[in-house]
Amino acid sequence: STSSSSSTTTKVPPSAVMKLGCALAMNAGFLNGLGLSGILGRAGSVAAVTGTFTSSAVVAFSSSNPAAALLLTVLSAPLCYMLGSFANGVLNPEGAPMDVMNLSWVQSSPLLLAGSLMVLLANTLSTTTTTSSSVSRTFCLLTFALGLQNSFTSHLLSGNLLRTTHMSGMTSDIGSVLGQVVRGNTANAYKLPIFAKLTASFWAGGMLSVSGIKYILSTMSGGGTTAAASS
């Protein structure tokens, strides 16, 4: 029984996991920068929904039509993020740490789906203008994709160490671990390099989004000018 259990539980190679995690964290930082810029039709985070929950509460009690306001805020971002995680749970129901070097097509399907949605976003941004309703819909599409991504990567290491989209929990963990280290408890100190690499990658993605936003705006402007000239 011992040999059978050890054969079904494969230790995840840390280097492979970190490379994948850092790449996805940078991707999330980049896409979150696009979301916050307002280029997707509305300004807001697509990597986390904490702020959106607060905004929905504020708008609900300050708007003359709270039902419509809640529909636009709660159902558009947090629900899409939750649906992304729901999709990962359906596609990958085991919820156990996985061997990133030997993922089956079923295990990797959430990541493939998220990547496909992001390719669809790129196509949308390259063929529409900033005022198009289709661009606004991509905000929800991205929120869904990043919810799926975060849920997927959380299962690549035990203890949800590899969260790649929102940094609030990870920042809190860094503070907690540093506090423990100050008091002489170094049991969780091994987590600090993991957190540092992921947060640095997310931050770098945000930096890259500045150039990405400028490029997208220039492309849209050029497309609009070309269309006007042809007409």
Side-chain angles (χ1 to χ4, degrees):
S1 58
T2 304
S3 59
S4 62
S5 62
S6 61
S7 62
T8 57
T9 304
T10 306
K11 183 178 180 180
V12 180
S15 60
V17 170
M18 285 311 306
K19 289 177 182 178
L20 177 61
C22 288
L24 292 175
M26 182 177 292
N27 172 70
F30 177 85
L31 296 175
N32 199 48
L34 296 185
L36 290 172
S37 72
I39 200 173
L40 302 179
R42 52 178 288 193
S45 173
V46 296
V49 294
T50 304
T52 309
F53 273 113
T54 301
S55 298
S56 67
V58 172
V59 172
F61 285 94
S62 61
S63 173
S64 58
N65 191 356
L70 282 174
L71 181 64
L72 291 175
T73 54
V74 174
L75 295 185
S76 62
L79 184 57
C80 286
Y81 196 92
M82 185 188 302
L83 286 174
S85 297
F86 172 82
N88 177 73
V90 171
L91 294 170
N92 203 358
E94 296 302 323
M98 297 174 288
D99 184 354
V100 75
M101 297 298 291
N102 297 287
L103 290 178
S104 67
W105 71 270
V106 175
Q107 290 176 320
S108 60
S109 58
L111 199 57
L112 295 175
L113 175 59
S116 299
L117 292 176
M118 293 172 192
V119 170
L120 178 61
L121 165 72
N123 179 69
T124 300
L125 289 177
S126 66
T127 57
T128 59
T129 64
T130 55
T131 58
S132 173
S133 61
S134 60
V135 176
S136 181
R137 287 194 295 271
T138 60
F139 185 94
C140 293
L141 185 66
L142 263 188
T143 307
F144 176 94
L146 290 181
L148 190 154
Q149 172 185 308
N150 193 62
S151 182
F152 173 80
T153 55
S154 293
H155 292 142
L156 288 179
L157 282 179
S158 60
N160 292 331
L161 285 177
L162 208 67
R163 290 167 292 186
T164 57
T165 65
H166 58 92
M167 300 292 110
S168 297
M170 196 172 300
T171 303
S172 178
D173 290 343
I174 291 174
S176 295
V177 173
L178 287 175
Q180 293 170 2
V181 172
V182 169
R183 292 299 304 272
N185 179 9
T186 59
N188 293 314
Y190 73 94
K191 298 178 181 179
L192 291 176
I194 298 175
F195 295 153
K197 291 175 183 178
L198 291 173
T199 52
S201 297
F202 189 89
W203 188 76
M207 289 183 61
L208 292 175
S209 72
V210 177
S211 298
I213 292 166
K214 291 180 180 179
Y215 176 78
I216 293 171
L217 288 176
S218 64
T219 301
M220 289 178 173
S221 177
T225 303
T226 302
S230 62
S231 62

